[in-house]
Structures are given as C-alpha cells and as structure tokens.
Amino acid sequence: MNEQVTIKNLYTLEETLAKPLLEKLDYPWEALPQIGDFIRELGKTLPADIYEEREGNIWIARSAKIYPNNYIAGPCIIGERTEVRPGAFIRGNALVGNDCVVGNSTELKNVILFNHVQVPHYNYVGDSILGFYSHMGAGSITSNVKADKTIVHVKGRDFDIDTGLKKFGAMLGDHVEIGCNSVLNPGSVICEDSNIYPLSMVRGVVPAHSIYKEKGNITAKRD
C-alpha cells in the first residue's frame, strides 16, 4: 500500500457524511462504485427536520439555497447551507456536503464533495472525490475516461496502482486549489494543501504541500 494516496492521508473524514463509507476503505477511488447505494441507505437515516426528502432518492437540506433552472437527479444528498446555482446539472450519485457551492453550468456525476467545497463556474466533476475546503477554479474539469477506454492507473514517482476502474476522474485532498481552465486527467491525485497553476494539464500524483506549475516542475510550498 502506498500511504501517500490513502484516505487517511488525504482527507478529514469528520468533514463528510461519507465517513462510514470511506473509513472502511484504504484508497479513496475504492468508494466510487459504492456511492449510489451508500446515498440511498444514508438518506433514509437523515433527520426530517434538517433534510427534505424529494422523489427519486433525493435529500436536500432545508437550509440549502437551490436556485431555479437547475437539474438534480437522484440518488443525491445536498448538505446544509449549500448553494446550487442556476444551470447546475447534478446527474446522480452525488453526495454534496455542507457549505458548498455548485455553480452555474457545473456538472456533477458520481462524486463526493466534502464540506466547504466550491465548484462554482463551468466545472465538470465526474467519478471524483473532493476534500474539505478544496476549490476548482472556473473552467477546470476532471477528465474521467481515458481516450482508449482502458483501466485507469494511479502513478506516482515510484509506484503504479491498477485501480480496476475505467471511470475515474480525480481525488483532491483537503485544501487543494485547482487553477482556472485546468484539466485533471484520469487517475490524478492531488494531495492535501497543494495548488495547481491555471491552464495546467495534470496527470498522476501531486505531493502534499506542493505547487504544480507544469509537468516536471513541481515545487514545495514555503512555510
């Protein structure tokens, strides 16, 4: 097992309703095939005074702000004080935490968004997990299928993990910042407290506390 890309090193599990799912696993992408079923079961346990149940296995916090002109398919949970803005397209299997922003023309599919995640402008987030206080700049996307449709691998400096998945976008650790118009290629893992420069094309693992400027140019953050 490579500790660098494990759930315990990437995420603060107290900041998501998905904690019961994630704490049983080693790597975060192992949760991707289970998100839909997990939401269906979790939704049944949510307190009715906090969450409104809607048709199609959808639970939306009563304090959430759901603007008009969006689409929300189940199974889906949207947390407290979260904003879903006009033009958002939530295709199902989406667990969105508290105090999040799902912005205009943003599309979500088979995702977990921890608390305080922002995907506010023209983002595509598919088959991905975004950690506490992570943010995707305008136009940045997760590319979740390889061009040749083969199995996605997670590749680091000295390891290559076969995930067994053909659909796998990106794993963003806590406090990750993705610059505008960046593309996170299938199997990207951005470890905690790292920044990606705008217009980047990222592939593989970016270490914690790093600044990704371009391929082959990753520097450690200064204290």
Side-chain angles (χ1 to χ4, degrees):
M1 182 186 305
N2 190 285
E3 294 292 330
Q4 182 183 20
V5 292
T6 57
I7 289 170
K8 66 180 181 181
N9 281 334
L10 290 169
Y11 301 112
T12 303
L13 293 186
E14 286 69 30
E15 296 293 343
T16 178
L17 289 174
K19 179 180 178 180
L21 170 62
L22 295 172
E23 66 185 357
K24 298 184 297 184
L25 306 172
D26 295 318
Y27 295 122
W29 54 85
E30 294 172 337
L32 295 178
Q34 305 180 50
I35 292 174
D37 289 340
F38 177 77
I39 291 173
R40 290 184 187 92
E41 293 305 312
L42 177 62
K44 299 173 186 177
T45 70
L46 295 175
D49 60 327
I50 297 177
Y51 287 86
E52 175 191 354
E53 182 177 2
R54 299 187 181 181
E55 185 178 359
N57 295 305
I58 298 170
W59 292 267
I60 298 177
R62 298 181 185 276
S63 60
K65 186 171 182 58
I66 311 298
Y67 288 80
N69 302 319
N70 54 54
Y71 177 85
I72 301 173
C76 177
I77 294 172
I78 296 174
E80 299 178 67
R81 299 172 300 280
T82 283
E83 292 187 14
V84 179
R85 294 175 176 170
F89 180 27
I90 301 178
R91 291 170 50 193
N93 291 358
L95 174 49
V96 181
N98 300 332
D99 302 291
C100 293
V101 175
V102 180
N104 60 300
S105 302
T106 290
E107 180 178 349
L108 303 181
K109 189 272 286 187
N110 200 46
V111 296
I112 296 171
L113 273 54
F114 278 54
N115 298 337
H116 290 279
V117 168
Q118 293 195 355
V119 283
H121 311 287
Y122 309 104
N123 306 111
Y124 173 69
V125 187
D127 300 286
S128 299
I129 299 176
L130 278 54
F132 180 52
Y133 265 111
S134 60
H135 170 259
M136 294 185 67
S140 60
I141 67 169
T142 64
S143 174
N144 62 333
V145 181
K146 294 171 65 177
D148 59 6
K149 309 298 190 295
T150 57
I151 297 296
V152 176
H153 286 230
V154 172
K155 297 181 179 181
R157 181 182 298 272
D158 55 0
F159 63 89
D160 183 333
I161 303 172
D162 182 340
T163 69
L165 301 170
K166 289 187 177 181
K167 291 189 176 183
F168 175 163
M171 303 290 127
L172 273 56
D174 294 344
H175 296 278
V176 163
E177 180 75 28
I178 307 298
C180 295
N181 289 321
S182 294
V183 176
L184 307 180
N185 282 285
S188 295
V189 179
I190 317 301
C191 297
E192 64 179 284
D193 188 39
S194 287
N195 290 46
I196 306 298
Y197 265 23
L199 299 174
S200 295
M201 185 180 70
V202 182
R203 189 182 307 276
V205 177
V206 176
H209 315 295
S210 297
I211 300 174
Y212 182 102
K213 299 180 178 180
E214 59 185 352
K215 183 178 180 181
N217 187 1
I218 303 174
T219 61
K221 283 187 172 182
R222 296 179 180 178
D223 295 333

